[in-house]
Amino acid sequence: MKLLLHSCCAPCSVYCIKSLREEGIEPVSFWFNPNIHPYMEYKLRRDTLIEYSKMIDLKLIIKEDYGLDEFCKNVIDDLENRCKNYCYKVRLEETAKYAKENGFDSFSTTLLISPYQQHDLLKSMGEEIAKKYDLEFLYRDFRPGFREGQNEARNLGLYMQKYCGCVFSENDRYAKQIAKDKEKYG
């Protein structure tokens, strides 16, 4: 199996790669995340994945695309469904397209490790996109290893982000504090 693994970040990659390697699958990591903002966050996550890939001798492909303008154009009219209608789709689609054009027979994503993502949607979307490109979407429920992977990432000194990636998810992260401040200061 020649697997292209979309990687959203190094910490989410840790357990996924370990688990796949234990199955005898050697993934190739693929960085394509035009949904991550602001730029310094994007750069820090990308550079941390590069560092981690070197640490574990993992082949990494970088598709550089800091896509703030395109992201905003595609999500601004429906912020509540941005993950479903843009973030998941654009990343899985680009991963599958690259996989097909470069001789891979399957693809997957490290997003499947996060208990904060819409897991069933990722699975169905991945399978649908796989059909379009005549590939296999390698589905694994990596969530049971989420804490183990996060702990290992901390032990390795990897940058640990505090929000999913887009500026709106960072806003969601502070929603309670924003509401408290609004109540307190009017």
Side-chain angles (χ1 to χ4, degrees):
M1 171 180 291
K2 193 170 177 192
L3 175 69
L4 187 63
L5 179 66
H6 166 264
S7 297
C8 60
C9 64
C12 287
S13 298
V14 171
Y15 181 82
C16 299
I17 292 164
K18 176 185 172 189
S19 176
L20 290 167
R21 284 178 165 174
E22 287 173 355
E23 287 184 52
I25 300 169
E26 183 58 35
V28 173
S29 185
F30 183 67
W31 167 267
F32 177 74
N33 295 290
N35 61 305
I36 298 174
H37 310 108
Y39 178 71
M40 293 311 291
E41 182 72 20
Y42 173 92
K43 182 182 181 321
L44 190 52
R45 292 185 195 199
R46 181 201 60 211
D47 293 351
T48 301
L49 183 61
I50 291 169
E51 174 189 334
Y52 177 63
S53 295
K54 289 175 184 175
M55 292 168 111
I56 65 165
D57 194 28
L58 176 74
K59 183 173 181 186
L60 171 63
I61 297 161
I62 303 282
K63 175 139 188 191
E64 189 65 21
D65 186 2
Y66 177 70
L68 179 60
D69 291 346
E70 194 65 25
F71 170 79
C72 289
K73 287 177 199 173
N74 280 281
V75 303
I76 198 65
D77 291 329
D78 190 10
L79 293 177
E80 292 302 312
N81 291 302
R82 65 188 181 272
C83 299
K84 175 177 83 171
N85 293 335
Y86 184 75
C87 294
Y88 294 164
K89 185 178 180 184
V90 73
R91 293 185 287 170
L92 291 175
E93 182 90 26
E94 191 62 32
T95 304
K97 181 180 173 195
Y98 187 94
K100 186 64 176 179
E101 291 172 353
N102 291 279
F104 291 86
D105 55 21
S106 59
F107 72 101
S108 192
T109 179
T110 60
L111 293 168
L112 293 170
I113 197 165
S114 176
Y116 306 108
Q117 301 299 329
Q118 299 173 50
H119 203 263
D120 292 338
L121 179 60
L122 283 165
K123 181 179 186 274
S124 63
M125 192 176 285
E127 290 169 348
E128 182 180 316
I129 291 169
K131 285 179 190 172
K132 177 179 175 181
Y133 288 93
D134 192 29
L135 295 167
E136 177 188 348
F137 179 69
L138 183 74
Y139 169 75
R140 293 293 185 272
D141 185 352
F142 294 118
R143 290 176 292 186
F146 179 73
R147 293 286 172 227
E148 178 184 330
Q150 296 292 295
N151 289 337
E152 178 66 19
R154 273 187 206 86
N155 290 339
L156 292 170
L158 300 178
Y159 168 67
M160 305 290 291
Q161 63 271 9
K162 306 288 189 240
Y163 63 100
C164 180
C166 80
V167 67
F168 302 109
S169 68
E170 184 178 27
N171 185 66
D172 293 346
R173 173 181 167 220
Y174 292 111
K176 288 180 184 173
Q177 184 61 49
I178 292 167
K180 286 179 186 176
D181 288 351
K182 187 173 183 177
E183 187 176 298
K184 184 176 180 178
Y185 301 112

